[in-house]
Amino acid sequence: MTTLLVTTLCVFVSVTSKAQNNCKEILSLFDENVKTKRFEQAKPQLAFLRENCATLHYGIYARGETLLKHELKKASDKKTVALKLITLYEDRLKLYPEKTKKGTFLPRIGALMINHEIGTTEAQYKLFHEAFTTDKTNFKHVRHLYHYFELYYKMYKSENYGVSLENLIEKYEVVSKKFATEKTRLINIQNTSKEQKKIDRATKTISGIDQFTKNMNIIIEKEATCETLIPMYEKEFQTHKSDLQWMRKAAGKLDAKACKNDALFIELVETIDALEPSANSKLYLHKIHARKGNSAKAKTYLDAYLALETDRIKKAKILNKEGDKAAKKGQKAKARTYYLAAVKANPNSGRSYLKLAKLYATSANACGTDEFTKKAVYWKAAEMARKAASVDASAKKEATEWIARYMSLAPDKPAVFNKGFNGGEKIDMNCWIGGTVTVPKL
């Protein structure tokens, strides 16, 4: 090696070593100044470190953030300082990606751009979108999540970015789901943490989630109406006629917006039922046609539901409701048929027996040929109430009260004696009730 080359190399090593030592010394001073809030002394040190020692340590950017946030708070020209902070975040993302989560820092850049009117709506939105799609786990800041939706809504309203109502609804759903995930996480902190600060912070953040969710709901309520949803789904329906997931989603939206009487909604549900029939789809169609007054179709779908339903409790509940509808219309025989079917579906349904008891009691004056046989109907009602008490503990108290009432209205002991009965005899129910009632031994 020549003497000149050796000399040059030694000078370079010496200068480099001195520069590195100088960087470390300034970083140490800078770190101490920021920690002790001597921000004016720290400003030139940050500038030096950014220019000469950018890759020395990520602490330059962590402490630099603290310094620039303080400067931003005090500055009269906030936009200039915001741009400095944005540049610092961008450099940190580039130079220290392992210590700089995109889900945290990209939204910080986006929020600075929003707050200080930097860049276009689309440019701002892209930062939040990249954060959400590449690092959703660390995208937790609730206000930033709301910005993500709000910016997309602005793009939808401007009509310059090709954002459709369907796109907006999809964005609403994904952001709402993320809010729900974060709320669950925070509730867990509330329930398990022993640190009051963490609990208070979680409580405050949950309140923020609730408020932002409410704001999003207001926006969707305003934009997604029957008048806007129906044309949108009508346009897409033929394309998605075999896409169950799309049709369920569309039907769900129309249902939520109370567009249930529209022909498109009915067609959607009928198509879903044709592709994948189930007890739920049959029941839904029964309710739709019953509401529209299509009795024959409603009955067809009800029968189909009853044939498919395997949950005896659900089945009995629907049968009881149908019985109630018939009873309200004065169709007592029809009501009895439904109540008896409910008992058959769920033998432990004390409520079904009680409904039968009350139904029978309403015909005390319509059955029988004389006062005695007319009042004997109350024995039949009491019989049903006793069955209710015997099969369903939850109905026992009410059933006992009705038994006492019905027995007080039925023929008393002298009336039974005067009829020549001793108890155990059968009396025909010569009316819609049918069958017989047994004279009790009083």
Side-chain angles (χ1 to χ4, degrees), residues 13-26:
V13 170
S14 175
V15 170
T16 303
S17 176
K18 185 177 180 181
Q20 286 178 339
N21 287 336
N22 198 27
C23 280
K24 289 178 181 177
E25 183 180 342
I26 291 174

Side-chain angles (χ1 to χ4, degrees), residues 125-392:
Y125 168 77
K126 283 181 177 179
L127 289 161
F128 292 97
H129 185 62
E130 184 181 351
F132 195 84
T133 53
T134 63
D135 189 18
K136 189 190 294 185
T137 301
N138 290 300
F139 195 160
K140 299 175 183 177
H141 195 294
V142 295
R143 184 173 291 278
H144 293 169
L145 281 166
Y146 182 67
H147 282 325
Y148 181 41
F149 172 77
E150 188 179 38
L151 288 167
Y152 201 66
Y153 174 58
K154 286 180 180 179
M155 289 166 68
Y156 162 75
K157 291 297 285 183
S158 76
E159 300 182 357
N160 294 323
Y161 299 96
V163 177
S164 67
L165 177 59
E166 192 167 10
N167 296 147
L168 181 67
I169 292 170
E170 286 171 358
K171 187 67 68 182
Y172 163 80
E173 288 172 348
V174 297
V175 176
S176 293
K177 187 176 180 181
K178 177 62 175 173
F179 270 138
T181 300
E182 288 306 309
K183 187 170 182 177
T184 299
R185 180 180 66 82
L186 292 163
I187 289 171
N188 185 55
I189 291 172
Q190 282 182 317
N191 294 335
T192 61
S193 180
K194 294 180 180 178
E195 296 180 39
Q196 191 58 46
K197 281 186 179 180
K198 283 187 177 181
I199 294 171
D200 292 343
R201 189 160 55 246
T203 302
K204 185 178 179 180
T205 306
I206 287 170
S207 178
I209 288 173
D210 290 341
Q211 184 57 54
F212 287 132
T213 300
K214 182 180 177 181
N215 292 348
M216 284 170 50
N217 289 341
I218 290 170
I219 289 171
I220 290 298
E221 284 290 323
K222 182 175 69 174
E223 299 297 336
T225 63
C226 293
E227 290 72 21
T228 57
L229 288 172
I230 290 167
M232 179 182 81
Y233 288 133
E234 279 179 338
K235 187 177 177 182
E236 300 288 328
F237 180 63
Q238 293 303 321
T239 308
H240 294 90
K241 278 188 84 168
S242 59
D243 186 344
L244 270 170
Q245 185 177 356
W246 182 90
M247 284 191 292
R248 284 199 182 102
K249 187 176 177 181
K253 287 297 173 193
L254 293 175
D255 186 13
K257 299 302 294 187
C259 313
K260 298 176 186 178
N261 290 325
D262 188 83
L264 174 64
F265 177 72
I266 297 170
E267 189 174 3
L268 277 166
V269 180
E270 287 180 336
T271 306
I272 291 167
D273 179 66
L275 288 171
E276 195 175 272
S278 67
N280 284 339
S281 64
K282 300 297 183 188
L283 180 59
Y284 212 105
L285 285 164
H286 159 68
K287 290 178 179 178
I288 288 172
H289 288 292
R291 189 168 58 246
K292 289 181 73 69
N294 301 331
S295 302
K297 272 195 171 184
K299 180 67 167 60
T300 299
Y301 282 117
L302 177 62
D303 292 342
Y305 162 76
L306 294 172
L308 288 171
E309 183 60 81
T310 56
D311 187 316
R312 61 188 181 87
I313 295 173
K314 284 183 181 178
K315 195 171 184 176
K317 186 177 180 180
I318 295 301
L319 286 163
N320 279 333
K321 282 185 177 180
E322 291 303 310
D324 291 346
K325 289 178 190 175
K328 193 173 181 180
K329 293 176 183 177
Q331 300 168 339
K332 295 183 179 182
K334 187 177 180 181
R336 178 196 58 195
T337 300
Y338 280 122
Y339 292 146
L340 288 172
V343 168
K344 186 177 180 182
N346 180 17
N348 295 322
S349 176
R351 296 295 160 189
S352 301
Y353 279 118
L354 272 178
K355 288 176 184 292
L356 278 167
K358 293 172 185 178
L359 186 68
Y360 290 163
T362 62
S363 289
N365 291 318
C367 296
T369 56
D370 57 18
E371 186 179 356
F372 183 89
T373 53
K374 285 179 180 180
K375 286 186 174 182
V377 173
Y378 287 115
W379 285 330
K380 191 70 175 178
E383 181 186 319
M384 294 297 103
R386 286 192 189 93
K387 285 186 178 180
S390 67
V391 301
D392 188 350

